[in-house]
Amino acid sequence: MTWDEASVARRAAAFLAEHDPATVDRLEFLRARFDAGLAWVHFPEGLGGLGAPRELQAVADRELRGTPDNQPGRIGIGLGMAAPTILAFGTEEQKRRFLRPLWTGEEVWCQLFSEPGAGSDLATLATRAVREGDEWVVDGQKVWTSSAHTARWGLLLARTDPGVPKHRGLTYFVCDMHAPGVEVRPLRQITGEAEFNEVFLTGVRLPEALRLGEAGDGWRVAQATLMNERVAIGGMPVRRTMMEVVADTWRSRPDLRTHDLHQRLLRLWVESEVMRLTAARLREQLAAGHPGPEGSGMKLAFARLHQELSGLEVELLREDGLAYDDWTFRRPEAVDFLGREAGYRYLRAKGNSIEGGTSEILRNIIAERVLGLPAEPRADKDVAWKDLPR
């Protein structure tokens, strides 16, 4: 069947006629929406989609506005990173096992990539996975792991062959976060919260069925995950932006205005509009295929803009901008960036240039893959990982 705006709208109307959100249990409603192909309309039939063009997702979302949602802020890693990776590289059994509870929010996902000695240079990671029969035994440590304390599954990149150069000896797994040997410890941040964690893996046994992609091909799978992550952070539409928050403060507090702050606000408004329109263009490009390096540019712009806007907001509010409502240590399920006060936003925005790829690394990607500039010299690209100095 060829899908268009009218046919997707009819599918959504028929679905609502059979599943009244006022009388149907929330989880039952979400499961039924997935089964009806109205979760990700561009996914294949039977996997939450209709095989329709990606841009028709907006039609489904519009027709189902006001119905129970899957709390995307709580399951963002699953939606933005795990789902497209599983769709691209997973077996049919993996797709059918993981995608439905991922989308409904029944199972939370985290990303087990960065390590204490492998952050910006991810390919130097040292976590090992050794094959023993039909299982892989994993030992190592991961860090800066968002949502690990609530996650059921993790996207794990591990080294399976130390005798080849660092990018070639990696394999990608789905890690059972409830398996024996998985230990999650909180990392308290400057905000007082611990949305990040460090994860220790000690003799964790993962069945061969949890390998995602071919053994030794983990870097290619990981690149797809990272590209999707940067698009998810920098290019996805949001209900309310940081620019709108600052603009509301400007309108409501004329007593705080100065000429210099006004000039900064206007400049940042223009940059916010450029980013919004660029994000819309990026989403159109996604409809034609896989995400590319352009997502790195969006994520870089997002981080810088958030930090500048949050700084402007604190300056605009003067002493009120320094107030902080609660330093209590807690482990939130989601980041409530716009639901807190200016002081929280200012502190939390500092992490935007680190998480999802540091701004320094993203500038390298943009220079080499978008602008076509000469690549940075890499003396270790042909050296076996085991022979690299540490």
Side-chain angles (χ1 to χ4, degrees), residues 94 97-98 109 134 136 153-154 156 172-176 205-213:
Q94 289 170 336
R97 165 61 186 87
F98 293 124
W109 287 69
D134 292 332
W136 294 83
W153 302 102
L156 171 66
Y172 200 112
F173 300 92
V174 173
C175 180
D176 182 354
R205 291 187 171 271
L206 301 178
E208 168 69 2
L210 290 181
R211 176 172 51 79
L212 195 60

Side-chain angles (χ1 to χ4, degrees), residues 106-165:
E106 295 171 76
E107 294 179 343
V108 177
W109 287 69
C110 67
Q111 179 195 26
L112 300 166
F113 276 25
S114 295
E115 298 181 8
S120 296
D121 189 4
L122 177 62
T124 60
L125 64 86
T127 293
R128 289 290 310 276
V130 178
R131 182 78 179 264
E132 290 188 4
D134 292 332
E135 292 182 317
W136 294 83
V137 181
V138 183
D139 291 276
Q141 179 187 355
K142 299 292 182 175
V143 75
W144 313 124
T145 311
S146 301
S147 302
H149 55 293
T150 61
R152 177 64 182 85
W153 302 102
L155 300 170
L156 171 66
L157 190 61
R159 187 163 305 282
T160 51
D161 186 355
V164 297

Side-chain angles (χ1 to χ4, degrees), residues 16 19-22 26 29-30 33 60-70 239:
L16 286 174
H19 303 86
D20 182 356
R26 174 184 172 278
F29 181 89
L30 291 173
R33 177 176 171 177
D61 292 342
R62 182 190 69 213
E63 297 297 320
L64 295 170
R65 185 178 294 125
T67 64
D69 68 16
N70 54 5
R239 292 188 179 93

Side-chain angles (χ1 to χ4, degrees), residues 44-45 112 175 193 224 262 270 312 322 368:
E45 292 187 35
L112 300 166
C175 180
E193 299 179 335
H262 189 214
V270 170
L312 175 61
L322 300 177
E368 295 176 14

Side-chain angles (χ1 to χ4, degrees), residues 302-320:
F302 163 85
R304 184 182 60 80
L305 192 60
H306 256 213
Q307 291 174 352
E308 289 198 35
L309 282 167
S310 62
L312 175 61
E313 183 184 26
V314 167
E315 289 188 49
L316 175 62
L317 290 171
R318 301 176 188 172
E319 64 271 14
D320 291 339

Side-chain angles (χ1 to χ4, degrees), residues 270-291:
V270 170
E271 293 187 16
S272 295
E273 280 298 289
V274 170
M275 194 176 84
R276 181 182 66 83
L277 295 172
T278 304
R281 184 175 65 180
L282 180 60
R283 291 193 293 273
E284 291 297 320
Q285 292 174 345
L286 282 176
H290 296 291

